[in-house]
Amino acid sequence: MPPTARFDLGTGDALVILPPDQTELLRELDAVFSGWGRAAGAREILPPPVYPVRDLEKFDVYTNFPHLALVGAGLDLDTGSGKPSDGGFAPESLLGARLGLPHATCYGAYLFHENTHVPDGTLITLVNRCFRNEEHYGGLRRLLSFQMREIVALGSYEHTQDTIARFTERILEFSRALSLGLEKEAATDPFFENDGARALLSRLSPVKYEFQAGDLAIASVNTHRNFFGERCNIRREGSDEHAFTSCVAFGLERWLAVLLDRHDGDAHRALEAVRAAAEQVS
């Protein structure tokens, strides 16, 4: 790996292949969270795992979080051999990196609704692979590639806040049923520039809350105001006002890590606990 690499793919901590029992547990968790969304009226969309860099650039991804960014490029077969050396390709063997690997799932919801008008009570759910170039990795707790389920509200500000309140209570109720003892903590907003007016407003009134199991955030609720509405030209139906948005996010592998810790690594026992808790909450 070159000296600037931030991860070691040989450690087994950055990328994992889940065994069958853990896969079943993760799928059950996703079914619970997506079920909450559908019960609230959310429609599901299926996003791609990568986007054009120009699309992610609309959201200041490469301004605010360049350290997390990962990009993809095709092979330049005119100047390079097309073959890797020492586990990688030399820069001169690559074409321009025009594909961006997203570090959050909700981007797909805003790009899907770009240049449209949405009803005030619009609710979308989607799941996707996310990618983060972290300084270190820790298996299921912190991966280079992981899955994030989100429920995204678009429309009026009141709708976005009602969605946040509703799912905040649902997450806390579910965690109590699982005896996880999650703590709701204010966090920094990843979408706003550090020196912008929105950043000042977010410091005065927190717009992101994380639900933490010990020191690990496994879910969050996020208020974006009209940031994504402006960047994607999404407007409220019957109005020229840009839509407000908010989202609820679940890091599926992180939930898996916490539940496996809780049940001494027994995925089957954790699965039964999830099913029982979901029944209790519903």
Side-chain angles (χ1 to χ4, degrees):
M1 300 294 290
T4 54
R6 293 165 56 88
F7 56 87
D8 181 1
L9 296 182
T11 65
D13 289 335
L15 298 167
V16 299
I17 300 175
L18 295 180
D21 286 351
Q22 293 184 18
T23 299
E24 187 177 5
L25 176 56
L26 184 143
R27 295 300 184 209
E28 187 72 22
L29 285 164
D30 187 43
V32 169
F33 302 142
S34 62
W36 293 351
R38 288 193 300 272
R43 299 293 304 278
E44 182 147 15
I45 62 173
L46 185 62
V50 298
Y51 297 98
V53 165
R54 65 176 177 271
D55 281 344
L56 295 182
E57 192 175 13
K58 298 172 185 175
F59 308 140
D60 297 339
V61 168
Y62 305 110
T63 299
N64 293 341
F65 291 90
H67 56 292
L68 294 180
L70 289 164
V71 295
L75 296 178
D76 188 342
L77 300 181
D78 292 331
T79 63
S81 66
K83 297 180 179 179
S85 175
D86 193 26
F89 289 96
E92 58 269 19
S93 296
L94 301 176
L95 298 171
R98 296 185 177 278
L99 290 175
L101 284 64
H103 69 262
T105 289
C106 62
Y107 298 144
Y110 315 126
L111 292 169
F112 176 76
H113 287 96
E114 188 169 22
N115 297 322
T116 67
H117 286 72
V118 296
D120 273 347
T122 300
L123 207 59
I124 294 292
T125 186
L126 62 168
V127 67
N128 206 358
R129 280 278 170 185
C130 298
F131 304 85
R132 294 184 184 179
N133 184 27
E134 304 274 14
E135 291 183 353
H136 62 87
Y137 294 99
L140 294 175
R141 295 173 62 88
R142 187 178 297 273
L143 288 164
L144 183 151
S145 175
F146 57 95
Q147 297 172 80
M148 183 185 296
R149 164 66 63 178
E150 297 209 35
I151 300 164
V152 181
L154 307 95
S156 69
Y157 182 74
E158 292 75 18
H159 169 58
T160 67
Q161 296 311 289
D162 177 68
T163 300
I164 291 293
R166 178 189 312 175
F167 285 100
T168 291
E169 182 53 40
R170 181 62 62 89
I171 291 168
L172 292 174
E173 185 180 1
F174 188 55
S175 75
R176 289 192 292 269
L178 289 167
S179 301
L180 295 184
L182 295 187
E183 297 288 339
K184 179 185 172 186
E185 302 286 347
T188 57
D189 185 352
F191 301 111
F192 301 154
E193 293 184 14
N194 292 333
D195 58 353
R198 288 189 178 93
L200 174 59
L201 188 56
S202 72
R203 287 193 293 271
L204 296 175
S205 176
V207 293
K208 178 183 179 71
Y209 289 91
E210 295 177 337
F211 300 88
Q212 296 185 336
D215 62 351
L216 184 66
I218 65 175
S220 66
V221 291
N222 308 267
T223 296
H224 318 126
R225 301 189 177 90
N226 54 10
F227 177 81
F228 290 110
E230 291 176 352
R231 295 303 175 91
C232 284
N233 189 34
I234 307 169
R235 298 180 186 270
R236 297 173 62 185
E237 194 173 74
S239 169
D240 283 332
E241 183 181 30
H242 287 108
F244 293 87
T245 67
S246 67
C247 69
V248 185
F250 304 90
L252 297 179
E253 283 84 355
R254 289 189 175 192
W255 277 85
L256 189 62
V258 169
L259 284 165
L260 289 173
D261 285 347
R262 174 73 183 171
H263 294 279
D264 300 319
D266 189 330
H268 180 72
R269 196 168 71 192
L271 178 64
E272 293 304 312
V274 167
R275 288 173 173 166
E279 182 69 23
Q280 180 178 333
V281 169
S282 65

